[in-house]
Amino acid sequence: MTPALRSELERAITSARGKPFRIDHIRDVSGGCINRALVLEGSGRRWFAKVNALRFADAFAAEADGLLALAKTGIRTPEVIAQGSAKDEVFLVLEYLDLGAGSDSAYRALGRQLAATHGHHGERFGWHRDNFIGATAQGNRESGSWVEFWHHRRLAPQLALAAENGMRGNLQRLGDALLAALPRFFVSYAPAAALVHGDLWSGNAAFLADGSPVVFDPAVYHGDREVDLAMTELFGGFPAAFHAAYREAAPLADGYEVRRTLYNLYHVLNHASLFGGGYAAQAERMMERLLAETRG
């Protein structure tokens, strides 16, 4: 850590908390592939800090905005302490939480709390600012139509990004056909504009020692609550106890199993652009299944 960054972190935390803070020890921690993550210890306290290049300033601002929005619904998030910069680096300081795995009862609590968060509705789909899904910019310009929003703010940008990354041919043909067919998935289903976490895979939720759930790294917006439920079944997934508790609190509408594939396609396409590998082929298979549904 540069002296300038160390000094600015100390100044920012001191200003935010109203008490002098001096860093005595810095520990690198794992937990992400985008930012450098640190635990700052000193003055009898610990804080969690993310650090990156100046170009990530907007990503940190968007993350702080999302954490604050979720916290207002009652679901636990790390408290936002401070944001700032030092020369060519930016940082985001959060409450340090000792997080671990959860029991079935802890996951049931998370299911109930997420259902309560989804009960907070907006007037339109989208958000007051753009943010990020991982390292990818996520546009959130508001719309009164969920189909329009999912088309123009989610699937179409990911298909365009895939094309820029060399994924053309069959993937784009399937994508064009799916975009044209999108209204057919919503003939008898009109979702409310629920506040969603937006990136709720298993790595973005954990638990305190007493079992209290904590969510973090959001990509919030007002959208169909099913986008969160779908992602909890992707990339490892959440246990059955979570899903049972959520559905008891807020039952899902018919057709969710098909829409789950439609919503998770967004994340699989994003992973195809970010990481390559077999994600493009997976996205093609998902689109083939979805198009088959429209012909059934």
Side-chain angles (χ1 to χ4, degrees):
M1 177 182 291
T2 65
L5 177 59
R6 185 187 192 109
S7 176
E8 192 57 30
L9 280 164
E10 291 176 337
R11 187 208 63 77
I13 296 171
T14 295
S15 176
R17 307 305 292 178
K19 297 179 180 179
F21 177 74
R22 178 185 176 90
I23 299 174
D24 296 325
H25 182 68
I26 301 168
R27 174 164 53 93
D28 281 273
V29 293
S30 60
C33 59
I34 300 173
N35 307 298
R36 185 184 179 192
L38 307 169
V39 174
L40 311 176
E41 300 183 39
S43 305
R45 294 296 303 267
R46 285 184 291 182
W47 307 103
F48 178 76
K50 295 183 175 185
V51 178
N52 217 317
L54 275 176
R55 63 188 178 88
F56 285 86
D58 193 47
F60 284 169
E63 180 177 349
D65 173 73
L67 289 170
L68 292 168
L70 289 172
K72 288 178 181 177
T73 74
I75 199 166
R76 181 70 184 272
T77 66
E79 181 185 356
V80 176
I81 305 301
Q83 301 172 65
S85 62
K87 293 188 176 179
D88 59 349
E89 294 179 292
V90 291
F91 59 81
L92 173 64
V93 180
L94 304 174
E95 173 188 15
Y96 175 82
L97 297 172
D98 192 6
L99 299 173
S103 62
D104 277 357
S105 63
Y107 271 103
R108 283 193 290 271
L110 177 58
R112 292 189 294 269
Q113 290 180 18
L114 182 65
T117 292
H118 288 164
H120 292 256
H121 296 164
E123 295 182 357
R124 293 166 64 83
F125 299 100
W127 195 237
H128 65 88
R129 59 157 298 147
D130 294 340
N131 48 31
F132 295 81
I133 183 72
T136 304
Q138 178 172 265
N140 289 320
R141 191 171 70 189
E142 293 181 324
S143 171
S145 164
W146 175 242
V147 173
E148 189 274 344
F149 182 87
W150 196 252
H151 179 137
H152 294 287
R153 304 287 171 262
R154 293 296 180 264
L155 290 186
Q158 285 292 347
L159 288 165
L161 184 61
E164 291 174 12
N165 285 297
M167 288 170 274
R168 299 184 175 87
N170 191 48
L171 185 142
Q172 296 298 327
R173 285 192 293 272
L174 289 168
D176 289 344
L178 182 61
L179 291 176
L182 204 56
R184 300 178 198 174
F185 295 96
F186 300 94
V187 172
S188 58
Y189 177 68
L195 179 65
V196 299
H197 179 285
D199 194 10
L200 194 57
W201 68 290
S202 59
N204 285 345
F207 303 86
L208 300 175
D210 65 0
S212 299
V214 181
V215 298
F216 38 89
D217 291 345
V220 301
Y221 59 99
H222 286 116
D224 184 356
R225 65 190 176 111
E226 291 182 355
V227 300
D228 276 349
L229 273 295
M231 199 178 191
T232 64
E233 300 188 58
L234 188 66
F235 306 140
F238 287 22
F242 164 85
H243 296 286
Y246 183 96
R247 293 182 188 216
E248 181 179 351
L252 299 182
D254 291 342
Y256 163 71
E257 289 73 15
V258 173
R259 294 187 295 273
R260 174 180 60 199
T261 302
L262 179 65
Y263 295 150
N264 282 341
L265 175 62
Y266 173 65
H267 300 292
V268 172
L269 284 168
N270 189 45
H271 274 60
S273 289
L274 291 174
F275 308 117
Y279 288 113
Q282 182 181 356
E284 290 184 16
R285 293 192 297 270
M286 294 170 78
M287 288 189 283
E288 287 169 350
R289 290 200 303 271
L290 289 164
L291 289 168
E293 289 286 341
T294 68
R295 296 189 292 267

